[in-house]
Amino acid sequence: MPQPLRVMFVCLGNICRSPMAEAIFVDRLNKRSLSDRFVVDSCGTGHWHVGGPADERTIRTLQDRSVKIDHVARQLNARADANEWDLFVVMDSMNYRNVLAAGVPREKVRMAMSFVPAYRGLAEQAPAVPDPYEGTMEDFGAVYDMLGDACDAMIDELLANASATTGARS
Ligand code: 4NP
């Protein structure tokens, strides 16, 4: 069995998009009996919400879809995190630039939507997962749908890469 891949989801505040992505990713892994293949966390590039829960609209959006969340917001600590995590999955181009500027190597950073087959060749030009913080519950629902597509495609791609590297079957 290969070492679990360590995936860190990153957004700005760590209360809307990245904790939702983390919760959805863990939920999809559990449903596919793949939770032993990944270690998952999320963080924000900003410090404002550190130590607090996810936005209550994030929690409601997930609860309405029977997805568990218990994340406590934390800020990216690039010096420690760049060593500890294999992959940083960011939501938009501002997160992308902030994570690179903080010192995470470019080869460890991916836009979330760049995993979706339609956008796979676009790398950092892949569409953003839009920030719903100033938005409505409908915006949170749209983010949930985008992140669901991204998480399913991520699991497929990362497992395919792992089997290609190890020669193992996934
Ligand atoms: P997130 O959304 O980056 O998806 O967690 C935001 C949450 C809070 C703020 C900005 C974006 N804020 O400015 O406090």
Side-chain angles (χ1 to χ4, degrees):
M1 183 64 82
Q3 288 279 95
L5 190 74
R6 299 176 58 86
V7 177
M8 175 69 86
F9 290 99
V10 187
C11 64
L12 179 58
N14 194 215
I15 56 171
C16 300
R17 294 165 294 175
S18 64
M20 191 187 293
E22 176 190 351
I24 296 170
F25 194 78
V26 167
D27 182 62
R28 305 281 157 110
L29 289 176
N30 287 337
K31 290 190 167 124
R32 293 169 67 170
S33 304
L34 290 168
S35 40
D36 57 341
R37 301 290 299 271
F38 296 89
V39 177
V40 192
D41 198 1
S42 67
C43 67
T45 58
H47 63 275
W48 313 285
H49 302 283
V50 168
D55 186 285
E56 59 91 14
R57 295 162 298 174
T58 305
I59 295 172
R60 211 163 1 122
T61 299
L62 291 167
Q63 277 177 347
D64 286 350
R65 293 159 179 83
S66 305
V67 177
K68 274 206 245 163
I69 177 165
D70 60 2
H71 184 72
V72 175
R74 69 121 154 151
Q75 189 174 21
L76 174 73
N77 175 351
R79 197 181 299 193
D81 291 333
N83 286 327
E84 281 183 24
W85 297 87
D86 301 312
L87 179 63
F88 293 78
V89 179
V90 302
M91 301 295 141
D92 61 29
S93 54
M94 183 174 67
N95 306 151
Y96 195 100
R97 287 193 303 274
N98 286 341
V99 165
L100 291 189
V104 178
R106 183 180 291 269
E107 63 271 17
K108 287 194 172 188
V109 187
R110 283 278 297 263
M111 289 279 278
M113 292 307 284
S114 75
F115 288 94
V116 174
Y119 308 123
R120 199 167 275 158
L122 295 181
E124 31 190 304
Q125 271 74 50
V129 178
D131 181 354
Y133 187 57
E134 304 286 347
T136 64
M137 277 305 286
E138 283 69 39
D139 297 316
F140 278 77
V143 164
Y144 178 92
D145 290 341
M146 292 181 87
L147 289 173
D149 291 346
C151 287
D152 286 336
M154 258 182 86
I155 294 169
D156 293 341
E157 181 180 321
L158 296 173
L159 285 181
N161 288 349
S163 355
T165 316
T166 60
R169 275 194 240 165
S170 61

